[in-house]
Amino acid sequence: MLKPPTRGDAVSAQEYFDQGELVAVLTTQPLDRTLDYKAPEGGCFLGAFVEVPLGPRKVLGVVWGPGQGGFDLAKARSVIRVLEVAPMREEMRLFLGKVADYTLTPMPAMLRLATRAPGLGDPPSMRKIYRLGSAEPDRMTDARTRVLEVLRDYGGLAFTLKELAEQAGVTSSVVKGLVKQGAVREEDSPRDLPYPRLDPDLPGKALTDDQAAAVARLQAGQRSGDYGTTLLKGVTGSGKTEVYLEAVAEALRMGRQALVLLPEIALTAEFLTRVEARFGARPAEWHSGATMTERRRVWRMVGQGEAQLVVGARSALFLPFRDLGLVVVDEEHDTSYKQEDGVHYSARDMAVLRASICGARVILASATPSLESWANAEAGKYERLDLTSRFGAAVLPEMKPIDMRAEQMQPGTWISPSLRQAVRQRIERGEQSLLFINRRGYAPVTLCRACGEQIACDHCDARMVEHRFLKRLMCHQCGETKPMPDTCPSCGVEGKLAPVGPGIERLAEEAEATFPEAKIAMLSSDLFGSARALKAKIEEIAEGDADIVIGTQLVAKGHNFPKLTLVGVIDADLSLHGADLRAAERTFQLMRQVAGRAGRADKPGQALLQTFQPEHPVIRAILSGDEEGFWKAEAAGRQAAGVPPYGRMAGIVLSGPEVGPVFDIGNAMARNDAPLRAIDAQVFGPAPAPIARIRGRHRVRLLVKAPKGAPIQDAIARWIAPLRLKGDIRLTVDIDPQSFY
Ligand SMILES: [Zn+2]
Ligand SMILES: [Zn+2]
């Protein structure tokens, strides 16, 4: 899947550079080459993080190898200083080079990904700590005696000023007085402390035979010390987490580090609690919700090997692990693993790459794997382990269609009589129901009944979505909002704007009217100000504080609601009809995941799918639960079409403020396709991108399709190299695109 490196393997053999020797420094600045500097006083190691002068500025860089020379050495400037962090390891330099080659990303952008720690250039932050001194104070008071007693009682342990004063019940000036006398010693100590040790030998949960067998295989792989990837497939509630935590335990026993990637920050808190229960302490966390101080601490401690386990978002893959032995990618099919801003990379695929470089294991865990991973397992590249039995007596929910063609629907309503009846039964039995709709806001379309105008975003080729909760219209592409107008912006007629179609807020309104006796809770990512507030709501629901949960895609992601026994999917057809080659796969995964929310404890669950096409092959596969059948059919279709994973694809998006010049470049690229033809690749387009305008920029897309195994990156690099983009026109390349917007 991954091609051999070009830049990545040019790693220097020289490990240390004496003062004055020329070194090549890779900086985070957008330059197409490394820069030469003289090694500073005291010399520097290969991989050292350094500060170098660039024009009038000081910039961050890494010593990448010996300098190139070829100019007047008297003019070479010196490295200003070496930062007090561990040098970048060879394995990391290789990894960055290979990701750069694979994603066609310039190296400076890769280095920025690998240095996303605040305060990297600062010396290690210090704080004052206090210990027992050797001198006797000239005069004893009760307060002074209490301070010295506390220090003696804790036998040499250090305190912060606040801790010591509080413990002794004195003011901080008493402690300071004792410092002056030499009776208490004041020291500087680094603020970034190692993470508490995790104990892999604490007892884990009791495992079923199925789980124990999977654990044995994973632990044996871990002990081999070689690279290997395992697809761990298990239905919701089959105990995937318990199983892979035992692989983490084995990595820790071997003294190696582990990384668990999660797709959703909201899930992290629940997961951390489980880790703490298993290993007796909390692991390090790396995601956008962590504080700056914590992120700096993680980055440094990971590099020193003082963080054994990191739980994080996709960018944690670029942390400077000292000895990474295991990467778990949980919910590996999740689309959020594909970064679509800046560097376009798939964290799932890059986890496999990183592990293959450093001799680590990878576990890809999912109830509904991506077709890519399924195909890699079929082809024997990945090992596959299946967990089938659920905990306790619970079984997978019974799945049934509700044929919407036969239901008597009132206009402007979306809960069918059949679904209504099923929800009523649950309310009477004191059980929970989930109504699922994958659409945020109140209504996807606001239509003028006088002129037919649909309110659109001023900057994008997208309709504005009404959000009643926020009392505004919102563009889901660029985030622009505006108040709901009283009159139509097109014809000026008043009072004729009407919502069309359902969003989660409108569905909640219908549920409130239909089930006035029920307590209703809404779960949508935009309704909560913080991950903490969302987590609190999820816990409330799990404890039973809702009869009906109305949710978007968010609820599909692994939350555990033990009292939930019914899932009603409002529009199972919604995502079947995308232009996206993965539309069927996504629908299948999403429906399986949502249905998996029902019946997790001791009560069997039921999932009802409202659909206008119960005979559609994807809907039939979902209902029959024939996963292998679905995958085989989907794989055959893609194989016939020569698309991923049975062919290669890249998306090229050109964008600019004027549509004409953007199309001109697209047309010129399509004409000059010799480098692509040389590898039997085809180019499609240029065509307006499915979303033809975002934030005022016109977008034009070309798609490149190549046979499996073709060197698509090299060909694209040669194809775009002669382009000279003028003005404000930008080009982005997305290898293995996941979405086609
Ligand atoms: Zn109008
Ligand atoms: Zn917009």
Side-chain angles (χ1 to χ4, degrees):
M1 176 184 66
L2 301 169
K3 71 182 198 69
T6 50
R7 263 167 296 180
D9 54 3
V11 165
S12 163
Q14 189 177 352
E15 286 290 326
Y16 183 77
F17 301 90
D18 282 325
Q19 180 175 351
E21 256 189 279
L22 268 194
V23 292
V25 173
L26 175 69
T27 70
T28 52
Q29 303 303 301
L31 304 165
D32 58 1
R33 62 200 160 88
T34 55
L35 299 172
D36 281 359
Y37 291 94
K38 285 186 205 157
E41 190 181 335
C44 59
F45 281 98
L46 182 64
F49 286 86
V50 292
E51 194 173 76
V52 292
L54 186 68
R57 290 179 304 153
K58 296 172 180 176
V59 301
L60 177 73
V62 168
V63 175
W64 212 254
Q68 311 285 309
F71 60 95
D72 181 6
L73 289 186
K75 291 201 177 126
R77 300 171 81 179
S78 267
V79 168
I80 299 168
R81 66 189 178 97
V82 177
L83 306 183
E84 290 180 51
V85 292
M88 186 183 281
R89 304 165 56 76
E90 178 181 339
E91 148 211 324
M92 184 58 135
R93 299 197 303 278
L94 264 167
F95 177 55
L96 295 182
K98 288 193 180 194
V99 177
D101 288 346
Y102 191 83
T103 59
L104 291 172
T105 303
M107 283 303 287
M110 292 310 310
L111 185 59
R112 282 198 293 278
L113 262 186
T115 53
R116 281 181 34 179
L120 196 59
D122 304 344
S125 170
M126 304 299 268
R127 60 175 175 179
K128 302 281 184 210
I129 55 162
Y130 298 84
R131 294 178 198 277
L132 195 60
S134 48
E136 285 293 319
D138 54 359
R139 172 177 65 82
M140 285 304 282
T141 62
D142 280 357
R144 286 182 167 184
T145 308
R146 286 205 298 278
V147 171
L148 297 178
E149 273 173 2
V150 166
L151 288 171
R152 279 189 203 104
D153 285 351
Y154 282 82
L157 274 185
F159 287 77
T160 63
L161 185 56
K162 188 163 171 273
E163 285 166 349
L164 182 54
E166 268 173 17
Q167 195 73 33
V170 303
T171 62
S172 49
S173 62
V174 175
V175 178
K176 287 287 189 182
L178 286 167
V179 169
K180 216 175 269 174
Q181 306 251 318
V184 171
R185 227 164 61 218
E186 186 182 74
E187 297 169 3
D188 288 316
S189 159
R191 195 181 288 272
D192 296 327
L193 296 176
Y195 284 86
R197 302 300 288 177
L198 305 184
D199 184 353
D201 295 320
L202 288 177
K205 280 196 181 166
L207 299 175
T208 63
D209 291 350
D210 213 21
Q211 294 163 351
V215 165
R217 291 292 293 272
L218 291 172
Q219 291 190 334
Q222 202 63 51
R223 280 192 299 271
S224 77
D226 295 329
Y227 158 76
T229 295
T230 304
L231 174 60
L232 179 63
K233 183 181 171 305
V235 294
T236 313
S238 64
K240 281 189 298 294
T241 311
E242 284 78 13
V243 167
Y244 74 62
L245 281 182
E246 293 313 308
V248 169
E250 194 66 14
L252 301 188
R253 273 182 211 114
M254 295 171 68
R256 302 187 76 181
Q257 291 166 294
L259 167 64
V260 176
L261 296 178
L262 298 178
E264 177 83 38
I265 294 177
L267 286 180
T268 320
E270 188 184 334
F271 182 76
L272 292 175
T273 312
R274 292 171 84 167
V275 170
E276 193 171 353
R278 172 62 186 84
F279 297 118
R282 281 170 85 85
E285 283 175 68
W286 178 270
H287 52 73
S288 55
T291 63
M292 300 288 263
T293 315
E294 197 56 24
R295 283 159 69 99
R296 184 188 60 190
R297 179 182 174 208
V298 174
W299 200 92
R300 285 175 187 257
M301 290 307 127
V302 160
Q304 292 172 26
E306 301 283 7
Q308 295 162 285
L309 171 62
V310 178
V311 176
R314 60 184 178 224
S315 60
L317 208 50
F318 295 91
L319 285 171
F321 287 94
R322 200 160 92 155
D323 185 8
L324 185 60
L326 171 66
V327 186
V328 178
V329 184
D330 200 0
E331 310 285 342
E332 66 92 31
H333 61 278
D334 199 281
T335 51
S336 69
Y337 284 123
K338 181 68 193 266
Q339 161 115 347
E340 299 193 315
D341 251 347
V343 183
H344 294 246
Y345 68 91
S346 152
R348 179 192 67 215
D349 297 347
M350 295 307 113
V352 170
L353 172 63
R354 180 153 193 192
S356 71
I357 294 173
C358 65
R361 309 296 291 190
V362 178
I363 298 173
L364 304 177
S366 176
T368 54
S370 60
L371 188 71
E372 273 86 354
S373 298
W374 179 83
N376 277 327
E378 286 287 289
K381 284 184 198 161
Y382 297 169
E383 184 182 18
R384 175 169 160 178
L385 295 174
D386 281 48
L387 298 172
T388 46
S389 54
R390 285 189 144 195
F391 273 129
V395 289
L396 272 175
E398 172 201 21
M399 290 204 234
K400 275 190 184 163
I402 294 177
D403 187 342
M404 294 301 279
R405 294 169 303 192
E407 296 284 321
Q408 297 297 314
M409 299 298 293
Q410 297 296 315
T413 67
W414 288 273
I415 304 171
S416 65
S418 303
L419 181 55
R420 216 184 297 154
Q421 197 194 345
V423 173
R424 281 244 161 74
Q425 280 179 359
R426 297 316 190 283
I427 297 174
E428 281 159 17
R429 299 208 297 249
E431 296 169 10
Q432 285 177 330
S433 304
L434 164 69
L435 299 182
F436 175 82
I437 184 160
N438 201 18
R439 255 188 195 151
R440 292 179 292 135
Y442 185 80
V445 176
T446 301
L447 178 80
C448 172
R449 296 234 182 264
C451 73
E453 172 85 0
Q454 299 180 359
I455 298 188
C457 176
D458 297 335
H459 316 286
C460 306
D461 182 24
R463 290 185 288 232
M464 297 291 270
V465 177
E466 183 185 357
H467 284 246
R468 276 210 184 161
F469 184 73
L470 302 169
K471 299 190 175 63
R472 293 181 83 81
L473 290 164
M474 185 191 287
C475 169
H476 285 183
Q477 290 310 319
C478 70
E480 171 88 356
T481 69
K482 57 186 175 191
M484 189 68 167
D486 296 324
T487 59
C488 170
S490 178
C491 70
V493 173
E494 206 179 307
K496 284 286 179 187
L497 292 174
V500 178
I504 176 176
E505 295 175 15
R506 197 173 189 187
L507 185 63
E509 200 176 87
E510 185 184 341
E512 274 158 22
T514 313
F515 311 104
E517 72 281 20
K519 182 156 188 197
I520 293 173
M522 257 199 284
L523 270 186
S524 176
S525 54
D526 55 345
L527 298 178
F528 296 90
S530 67
R532 198 173 300 274
L534 177 60
K535 189 194 160 220
K537 187 76 195 176
I538 288 170
E539 276 171 6
E540 260 178 56
I541 295 172
E543 279 158 24
D545 193 25
D547 302 307
I548 301 173
V549 183
I550 313 243
T552 59
Q553 190 159 0
L554 186 72
V555 295
K557 296 188 179 181
H559 307 296
N560 195 353
F561 301 132
K563 294 197 171 126
L564 188 75
T565 59
L566 173 70
V567 170
V569 176
I570 296 302
D571 187 354
D573 309 335
L574 188 61
S575 47
L576 274 181
H577 306 290
D580 192 327
L581 74 92
R582 293 182 175 82
E585 183 187 347
R586 296 265 157 80
T587 304
F588 184 75
Q589 287 164 341
L590 190 57
M591 292 302 124
R592 298 276 308 179
Q593 298 258 320
V594 172
R597 296 298 113 212
R600 288 173 60 103
D602 50 350
K603 297 187 185 78
Q606 188 180 44
L608 298 174
L609 276 62
Q610 297 193 156
T611 173
F612 283 93
Q613 353 174 30
E615 56 290 309
H616 190 289
V618 174
I619 301 289
R620 287 216 323 247
I622 294 165
L623 294 171
S624 68
D626 180 9
E627 292 173 86
E628 295 299 319
F630 170 77
W631 273 316
K632 286 202 174 104
E634 183 68 11
R638 294 217 205 153
Q639 205 148 16
V643 296
Y646 304 99
R648 304 207 58 195
M649 262 186 162
I652 315 286
V653 171
L654 290 157
S655 69
E658 305 291 336
V659 71
V662 178
F663 254 103
D664 290 346
I665 294 178
N667 281 315
M669 288 176 73
R671 278 194 306 274
N672 301 314
D673 64 343
L676 299 178
R677 269 183 286 125
I679 62 158
D680 286 328
Q682 289 171 281
V683 56
F684 299 89
I691 298 163
R693 201 161 58 110
I694 296 184
R695 294 186 188 90
R697 295 179 66 83
H698 294 271
R699 307 169 78 244
V700 166
R701 190 188 62 177
L702 296 116
L703 265 184
V704 177
K705 234 177 94 178
K708 193 174 169 68
I712 194 170
Q713 285 94 341
D714 281 352
I716 289 175
R718 268 180 284 139
W719 183 43
I720 63 179
L723 288 178
R724 293 290 167 263
L725 298 177
K726 289 200 203 75
D728 201 13
I729 293 181
R730 283 200 292 267
L731 178 147
T732 59
V733 180
D734 188 357
I735 303 287
D736 314 330
Q738 283 290 310
S739 66
F740 292 81
Y741 61 89

